[in-house]
Amino acid sequence: MLIGIISDTHDHVPHIKKAVEVFKKSNPDIVIHCGDYCSPFTIPPFEGVPLQGIFGNNDGDGYLLMEKFSTIGAELKGEFFEMEADGNKLAVYHGTYQPITDALIESGSYDVVISGHTHETVNKQVENTLAINPGTAHGFGERATIALLDTESMRPEFVEL
Ligand code: MN
């Protein structure tokens, strides 16, 4: 399974549009957004990609965000979700509290833990758990990145926007 991963878009619509182009070309089975969209108006540009998201710490307008997700056939799943891909168990958490992120990674309960929040890419193997952070798609004047994970090879690829 190919998984697109994006996080911390923080209202940057031009970069969201670039990311959507990358996702449409690589055609992932699912695109996970790890939160910090900020404003609900930034969700419609994701139309056409199989988006599943969680909340970040800067997503105050939860109800309207969920509504925008549902209008494009996407799903905003709350603070945390688990999924399975090619026999691997994945956890998705924004990363608001670093000790929680670390506990998820160190628990050994997951093959992959995906988080965002720090705006820095992470590709780290901790025992049997792969920790991935796609970085920030906003960039904040520095590197704007997203990631693609093939859950057969388990090698994430980072794409600069
Ligand atoms: Mn955050």
Side-chain angles (χ1 to χ4, degrees):
M1 182 187 270
L2 185 64
I3 301 177
I5 310 170
I6 181 168
S7 192
D8 296 86
T9 41
H10 288 269
D11 288 345
H12 200 312
V13 173
H15 282 180
I16 290 171
K17 287 181 175 167
K18 272 192 187 177
V20 166
E21 271 175 41
V22 172
F23 290 141
K24 282 186 174 167
K25 264 186 211 149
S26 47
N27 200 24
D29 300 282
I30 174 174
V31 171
I32 295 171
H33 194 310
C34 305
D36 278 2
Y37 319 89
C38 297
S39 306
F41 75 85
T42 65
I43 305 307
F46 283 100
E47 187 158 20
V49 301
L51 187 69
Q52 309 256 299
I54 52 166
F55 287 112
N57 58 305
N58 291 297
D59 297 322
D61 204 345
Y63 179 76
L64 198 52
L65 277 167
M66 288 176 102
E67 203 174 77
K68 292 287 182 191
F69 263 71
S70 70
T71 59
I72 61 163
E75 199 183 346
L76 185 46
K77 290 168 158 305
E79 301 284 337
F80 172 81
F81 80 94
E82 296 175 329
M83 61 172 277
E84 213 155 288
D86 295 315
N88 298 297
K89 200 170 171 192
L90 284 70
V92 183
Y93 167 62
H94 177 64
T96 307
Y97 298 101
Q98 190 64 43
I100 296 180
T101 312
D102 292 342
L104 286 169
I105 294 165
E106 287 157 17
S107 71
S109 301
Y110 300 99
D111 299 291
V112 184
V113 173
I114 298 171
S115 61
H117 185 62
T118 63
H119 302 173
E120 282 176 18
T121 56
V122 173
N123 176 15
K124 181 177 70 171
Q125 188 74 35
V126 178
E127 310 239 334
N128 293 321
T129 301
L130 176 65
I132 298 176
N133 185 324
T136 166
H138 183 295
F140 297 94
E142 293 178 33
R143 251 160 52 96
T145 49
I146 57 174
L148 291 160
L149 174 67
D150 182 335
T151 53
E152 279 177 40
S153 72
M154 281 294 208
R155 288 207 184 93
E157 178 199 344
F158 294 89
V159 180
E160 202 159 334
L161 301 173

